[in-house]
């Protein structure tokens, strides 16, 4: 077994992998692979229906929101959101906390001038801006819940006048949150939710009612929702994987998952803060991500020793993003505490002699 700290596509719970492996060979004893049945057949209908029911159950909503599985990753959502939600003359606000925020901002420029309320760019995205004024009349305000690349995370979501929309790709279901604080949330599957391919969107109905209708159907939230994620052939395997993961989350329990993530983060950051060989990237400890911890070695020798020790101890996926450098330990829901313990032991060994 490897200790898989990869940022995404990322580690799965073993039980989920086993269920998916079974379903690829023979879905629920029906004699067919889930990959070789119609997306309009009863097998996939069950997957979609039960996934939507699980989402309602886990997030505590009824018919005030619509959930839909879309295609193309979170990146497609960066364009679909302004395309669907901004009417001529509308303005959308953004908090710029990293690469994914920037991409969402850039995509919005095709539809309106984005209003950037606050940014931590000049400080290397090393914190989450807290103080800023929100102008009146924004159509929505977009945030990135967890900054996968730089390693910061919102631990309290801002209270906004405009509907709040969050990219939760890298921390959805890692902790309890109040969906009713949001106009919409979305998440690409491949971190905490399932295999890459689909993106989950949960959109409040009053916002849906205001969406543009004069769009090509394939880009229209209205059309995808009306057709129950079956406007065209959806990413069937990715959605099947989300279904299996949602069942695992339900079995494990939100509180248990949140407590496990807290325990992993506490163990990791306690080591980081007491180890002279490494330094954290995020300035304010209150903004540190529980999902993606970013850090650097204090010098080249430490880095070389640490790389070798990681390889010897089956630690994989620890290298930082190419834009951020250094190291990044991604500790998604499926990562066991024991993997974090091995990592902290290796960090201590790398510090020997300092
Ligand atoms: C991974 C990630 C994305 C990118 O998702 P794609 O599926 O590659 O489009 C966007 N936002 C965040 C926060 C991410 O972690």
């Amino acid at each position: 077994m490897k200790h898989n700290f990869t940022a995404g596509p990322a580690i799965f719970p073993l039980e989920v992998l086993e269920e998916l492996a079974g379903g690829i060979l023979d879905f629920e004893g029906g004699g067919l692979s889930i990959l070789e049945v119609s997306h309009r057949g009863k097998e996939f209908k069950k997957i979609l229906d039960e996934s939507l029911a699980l989402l309602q159950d886990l997030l505590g909503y009824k018919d005030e929101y619509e959930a839909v599985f879309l295609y193309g990753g979170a990146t497609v959502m960066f364009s679909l959101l302004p395309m669907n939600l901004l009417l001529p003359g509308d303005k959308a606000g953004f908090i710029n906390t990293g690469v994914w925020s920037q991409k969402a901002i850039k995509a919005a420029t095709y539809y309106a001038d984005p209003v950037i309320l606050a940014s931590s760019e000049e400080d290397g995205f090393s914190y989450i801006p807290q103080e800023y004024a929100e102008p009146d009349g924004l159509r929505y305000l977009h945030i990135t819940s967890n900054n996968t690349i730089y390693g910061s995370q919102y631990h309290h979501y801002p209270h906004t006048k405009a509907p709040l929309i969050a990219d939760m790709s890298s921390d959805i279901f890692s902790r309890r949150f109040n969906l009713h604080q949001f106009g919409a949330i979305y998440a690409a599957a491949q971190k905490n939710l399932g295999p890459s391919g689909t993106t989950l969107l949960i959109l409040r109905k009053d916002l849906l009612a205001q969406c543009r209708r004069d769009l090509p159907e394939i880009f229209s939230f209205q059309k995808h929702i009306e057709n129950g994620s079956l406007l065209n052939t959806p990413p069937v395997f990715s959605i099947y994987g989300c279904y299996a993961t949602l069942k695992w989350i339900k079995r494990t329990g939100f509180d248990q998952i949140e407590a496990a993530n807290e325990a992993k983060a506490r163990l990791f950051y306690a080591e980081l803060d007491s180890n002279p060989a490494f330094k954290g990237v995020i300035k304010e400890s209150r903004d540190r991500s529980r999902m993606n911890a970013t850090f650097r070695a204090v010098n080249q020798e430490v880095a070389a020793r640490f790389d070798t020790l990681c390889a010897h101890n089956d630690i994989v996926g620890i290298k930082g993003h190419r834009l951020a450098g250094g190291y990044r330990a991604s500790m998604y829901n499926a990562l066991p505490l024991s993997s974090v313990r091995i990592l902290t032991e290796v960090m201590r060994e790398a510090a020997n002699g300092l």
Side-chain angles (χ1 to χ4, degrees), residues 78-275:
F78 298 159
S79 291
L80 291 186
L81 281 166
M83 196 189 294
N84 278 269
L85 285 169
L86 295 182
L87 306 174
D90 278 351
K91 286 188 162 58
F94 292 84
I95 312 292
N96 181 15
T97 53
V99 171
W100 299 118
S101 303
Q102 284 177 313
K103 291 195 183 207
I105 291 165
K106 175 136 188 269
T109 59
Y110 289 90
Y111 304 94
D113 288 333
V115 183
I116 299 173
L117 275 61
S119 170
S120 50
E121 183 169 7
E122 294 201 340
D123 243 327
F125 295 119
S126 61
Y127 68 99
I128 301 274
Q130 307 284 340
E131 300 290 322
Y132 49 85
E134 180 189 339
D136 286 325
L138 294 177
R139 187 74 170 169
Y140 62 84
L141 174 52
H142 180 279
I143 61 168
T144 311
S145 175
N146 179 67
N147 296 288
T148 326
I149 292 174
Y150 290 98
S152 67
Q153 183 178 24
Y154 279 89
H155 295 293
H156 300 282
Y157 291 117
H159 289 280
T160 55
K161 291 181 267 188
L164 184 60
I165 296 186
D167 175 357
M168 292 195 179
S169 292
S170 52
D171 68 352
I172 193 164
F173 296 122
S174 66
R175 58 185 174 187
R176 276 189 189 285
F177 68 95
N178 178 11
L179 177 67
H180 290 88
Q181 210 184 322
F182 294 89
I185 63 164
Y186 63 97
Q190 66 269 21
K191 279 85 176 209
N192 259 342
L193 203 49
S196 64
T198 194
T199 300
L200 172 67
L201 168 70
I202 303 181
L203 178 63
R204 212 170 60 206
K205 272 211 184 130
D206 61 308
L207 289 184
L208 176 64
Q210 296 160 21
C211 279
R212 285 182 79 131
R213 284 150 198 272
D214 57 344
L215 295 174
E217 292 197 357
I218 197 66
F219 302 139
S220 159
F221 289 160
Q222 294 263 3
K223 289 291 169 194
H224 280 282
I225 288 168
E226 257 170 52
N227 286 276
S229 305
L230 292 171
L231 181 60
N232 66 325
T233 316
V236 167
F237 181 69
S238 179
I239 295 172
Y240 176 41
C242 294
Y243 167 61
T245 305
L246 288 168
K247 286 194 292 183
W248 175 81
I249 293 168
K250 170 80 182 155
R251 280 199 304 278
T252 308
F254 237 137
D255 291 338
Q256 171 58 32
I257 286 173
E258 180 164 358
N261 287 333
E262 263 172 34
K264 286 180 279 179
R266 211 176 310 118
L267 178 62
F268 177 82
Y269 286 116
E271 180 59 37
L272 183 62
D273 288 340
S274 60
N275 188 318

Side-chain angles (χ1 to χ4, degrees), residues 14-47:
L14 183 58
E15 289 169 43
V16 173
L17 286 180
E18 283 167 352
E19 178 169 348
L20 298 182
I24 285 181
L25 292 174
D26 180 1
F27 179 70
E28 297 190 349
L32 289 165
S33 165
I34 191 61
L35 303 183
E36 55 183 14
V37 294
S38 167
H39 58 289
R40 301 191 188 278
K42 64 178 188 319
E43 295 88 354
F44 194 64
K45 181 176 187 326
K46 177 182 176 214
I47 288 171

